[in-house]
């Protein structure tokens, strides 16, 4: 498994993926810090709004980041390296899922570290317990959608992934932060990160509720990986190409 993950990382060499992984998180943090320095409206809630913006943006970004990771595989003989390599396709699909999850955690770390340094040097105190909850929501809350975007990326390329990503992000903001989502939001895993974050900030959700839905998100991702890997095992490698 380690060798497979290593090969996926090597494939990102000389691709835009590495720039997205490193530069985009730093750019996001930099812009947010600039906003904090020019405004006093977020005083006392800096961390909550930081994760709110990050979670919303990350929920959309994975819709184009995942097909970007598959781009090198598509160019290398239309996924021939994976489909005819002789390794079980189900294992490969799971390995790609795990690789994406590791990258999401890495990106969150790159986003968070300079922001925490900024808060520290400006004497802004944060609750460690809040930081832990926000971090879990920002990573585990997103993984339920990863297998779905993997499927869309393989089958329909960028357009088939970004279009649903846009719709899901707008719906997540609407259902996750307004009363419109009351009573129905838990049917839609893509709403979980924003809704859990919003509920925790407003103190309408306790820690047990957060943990339950994060576990549910993990379980959904586990089931989705199983279903999508079964499809991937039968896939003929043909996708709808960009026009």
């Amino acid at each position: 498994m380690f060798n497979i993950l290593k090969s996926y990382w090597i494939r990102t060499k000389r691709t835009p993926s590495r720039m997205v992984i490193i530069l985009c998180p730093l750019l996001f943090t930099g812009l947010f810090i600039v906003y904090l320095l020019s405004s006093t409206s977020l005083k006392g809630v800096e961390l909550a709004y930081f994760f709110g913006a990050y979670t919303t943006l990350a929920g959309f970004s994975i819709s184009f980041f995942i097909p970007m990771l598959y781009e090198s595989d598509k160019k290398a003989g239309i996924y021939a390296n994976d489909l005819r390599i002789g390794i079980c396709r189900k294992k490969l699909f799971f390995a790609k899922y795990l690789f994406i999850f590791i990258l999401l955690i890495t990106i969150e770390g790159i986003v968070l570290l300079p922001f925490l340094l900024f808060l520290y040097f400006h004497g802004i105190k944060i609750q460690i317990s809040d930081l832990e909850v926000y971090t879990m929501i920002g990573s585990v809350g997103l993984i339920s959608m990863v297998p779905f975007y993997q499927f869309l990326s393989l089958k329909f390329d960028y357009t088939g992934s970004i279009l649903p990503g846009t719709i899901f992000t707008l719906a997540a903001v609407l259902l996750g932060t307004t009363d419109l989502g009351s009573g129905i939001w838990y049917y839609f895993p893509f709403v979980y990160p924003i809704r859990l974050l919003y509920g925790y900030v407003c103190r309408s959700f306790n820690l047990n509720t957060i943990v339950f839905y994060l576990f549910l998100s993990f379980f959904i991702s586990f089931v989705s990986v199983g279903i999508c890997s079964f499809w991937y095992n039968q896939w003929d490698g043909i996708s709808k190409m960009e026009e």
Side-chain angles (χ1 to χ4, degrees):
M1 181 64 71
F2 175 78
N3 289 334
I4 297 176
L5 295 175
K6 183 180 179 180
S7 72
Y8 285 149
W9 174 248
I10 293 174
R11 294 179 198 181
T12 64
K13 189 176 182 179
R14 298 190 182 91
T15 68
S17 301
R18 294 196 179 184
M19 181 183 68
V20 171
I21 294 169
I22 299 174
L23 295 183
C24 289
L26 294 177
L27 178 62
F28 167 79
T29 304
L31 291 175
F32 195 88
I33 289 175
V34 170
Y35 177 74
L36 287 181
L37 293 175
S38 62
S39 173
T40 59
S41 61
L42 301 184
K43 188 175 182 179
V45 290
E46 295 91 349
L47 191 64
Y49 275 83
F50 175 81
F51 271 97
Y54 167 75
T55 302
T56 303
L57 184 60
F60 169 72
S61 297
I62 59 174
S63 68
F64 68 81
F65 180 60
I66 292 178
M68 185 181 295
L69 292 175
Y70 274 111
E71 184 69 16
S72 60
D73 298 337
K74 183 175 69 174
K75 290 181 178 180
I78 314 299
Y79 305 104
N81 287 341
D82 280 353
L83 299 182
R84 292 184 286 276
I85 198 175
I87 301 177
C88 177
R89 290 191 191 181
K90 293 180 181 180
K91 183 178 181 179
L92 292 174
F93 189 91
F94 174 75
K96 196 75 169 188
Y97 162 82
L98 184 60
F99 177 68
I100 294 169
F101 182 47
I102 293 172
L103 290 183
L104 290 179
I105 294 176
T106 302
I107 290 172
E108 186 176 31
I110 296 174
V111 164
L112 187 57
L113 181 58
F115 185 68
L116 292 179
L117 291 175
F118 166 79
L119 296 181
Y120 174 78
F121 285 114
H122 281 75
I124 301 175
K125 297 181 179 180
I126 61 173
Q127 296 292 330
I128 300 300
S129 58
D130 290 342
L131 176 61
E132 292 173 346
V133 172
Y134 295 150
T135 303
M136 287 192 300
I137 293 175
S139 56
V140 180
L142 293 172
I143 64 173
S144 62
M145 297 303 296
V146 170
F148 179 69
Y149 284 123
Q150 285 182 259
F151 166 74
L152 292 178
S153 300
L154 289 167
K155 189 63 178 176
F156 303 107
D157 295 316
Y158 279 95
T159 301
S161 180
I162 294 176
L163 182 59
T166 303
I167 297 173
F168 289 159
T169 302
L170 294 176
V173 173
L174 186 62
L175 298 178
T177 60
T178 68
D179 292 336
L180 186 63
S182 299
I184 62 172
W185 66 270
Y186 37 77
Y187 293 117
F188 306 102
F190 58 86
V191 182
Y192 288 3
I194 295 179
R195 187 71 180 192
L196 293 178
L197 188 66
Y198 181 78
Y200 185 76
V201 171
C202 297
R203 303 304 177 188
S204 58
F205 290 163
N206 56 31
L207 184 58
N208 290 334
T209 302
I210 301 292
V211 172
F212 172 78
Y213 281 104
L214 289 180
F215 175 80
L216 184 59
S217 179
F218 179 81
F219 177 76
I220 292 172
S221 71
F222 181 79
V223 174
S224 299
V225 166
I227 295 173
C228 292
S229 62
F230 179 80
W231 166 82
Y232 187 65
N233 194 48
Q234 308 295 324
W235 186 44
D236 56 9
I238 299 175
S239 60
K240 177 178 169 54
M241 306 302 290
E242 296 289 310
E243 297 181 2

